[in-house]
Amino acid sequence: MSIEIANESGVNVDEAALASLARHVLDEMRVHPLAELSLLLVDEPAMTELHVRWMGEEGPTDVLAFPMDELRPPQPGGAHADHGDTDTSDIPGLLGDVVICPQIAATAARRAKHAVADEIDLLATHGILHLLGYDHADAKEHAAMFGLQDRLLASWRAERGGDGSAAARTANGSPPEDRGAPRVPRSPGAPGSPGAPGAPG
């Protein structure tokens, strides 16, 4: 599994831990071991530019997800759960990009009174689930996505001997400010595309 992390935010982030979390989420979701994922950390001006361009909304947000291929693992309750019995877990592919703004995550972490790292873990998990077809536009989708998100974070922390603090607060918390995360195909200038400003690798 290839997980590329590019930190262009100017904030120190534990990239090894973030890669470990992403790998755990993809393993638990039975994503093909040859799948590729990009995690990009950007500052507020860069996130604002992406938010305005892809969502048409002013100001920065905390996380955006840019899906690439039609790779969809089995996911009861997910947006793609009714696409027949085709098992796509054997299909490798480029999942897409998750873009996180640590500065916005820090503000949310202060409000929630937990560590910034916990907030970034939450946002990374949330963004990956968006790449896999999950959403929270209605109550049923919200329950499925956030329930799964809680379980993934708790199981990862249990593996690491942690207390699951980031997972515990999402049960009663509001969703990250991704406002649905744009589900747009990549085009020149999108994160991860050749020549895109701030794009990883």
Side-chain angles (χ1 to χ4, degrees):
M1 193 162 298
S2 172
I3 298 169
E4 180 180 354
I5 298 179
N7 187 355
E8 300 174 2
S9 68
V11 174
N12 287 329
V13 173
D14 186 342
E15 295 178 22
L18 194 56
S20 175
L21 167 65
R23 185 165 284 106
H24 174 81
V25 170
L26 295 177
D27 285 346
E28 289 295 307
M29 296 302 295
R30 296 180 292 176
V31 173
H32 193 283
L34 295 181
E36 298 177 20
L37 168 70
S38 171
L39 294 170
L40 175 62
L41 300 130
V42 299
D43 60 15
E44 289 184 65
M47 184 59 102
T48 298
E49 182 181 337
L50 291 169
H51 197 212
V52 170
R53 178 173 185 179
W54 295 105
M55 298 297 290
E57 297 187 25
E58 294 299 319
T61 190
D62 51 8
V63 60
L64 292 172
F66 295 88
M68 186 59 168
D69 290 347
E70 289 299 317
L71 174 60
R72 297 291 182 261
Q75 44 187 325
H80 297 272
D82 58 353
H83 285 191
D85 296 327
T86 305
D87 181 1
T88 58
S89 61
D90 289 333
I91 304 172
L94 179 61
L95 294 178
D97 301 325
V98 174
V99 185
I100 297 170
C101 182
Q103 289 90 342
I104 301 298
T107 300
R110 281 193 298 274
R111 282 196 307 261
K113 298 185 169 119
H114 60 243
V116 176
D118 285 347
E119 188 69 19
I120 291 174
D121 290 348
L122 169 74
L123 297 175
T125 304
H126 191 84
I128 292 168
L129 289 178
H130 272 304
L131 293 184
L132 297 177
Y134 285 87
D135 211 339
H136 45 80
D138 60 39
K140 184 178 178 184
E141 288 180 346
H142 185 283
M145 182 174 183
F146 279 79
L148 178 57
Q149 181 175 287
D150 290 347
R151 290 190 299 277
L152 290 166
L153 284 164
S155 64
W156 182 67
R157 284 194 160 69
E159 272 187 12
R160 293 170 57 93
D163 62 3
S165 58
R169 66 120 169 67
T170 61
N172 297 316
S174 59
E177 296 175 16
D178 66 359
R179 296 180 178 89
R183 300 187 165 282
V184 293
R186 277 196 227 182
S187 60
S193 298

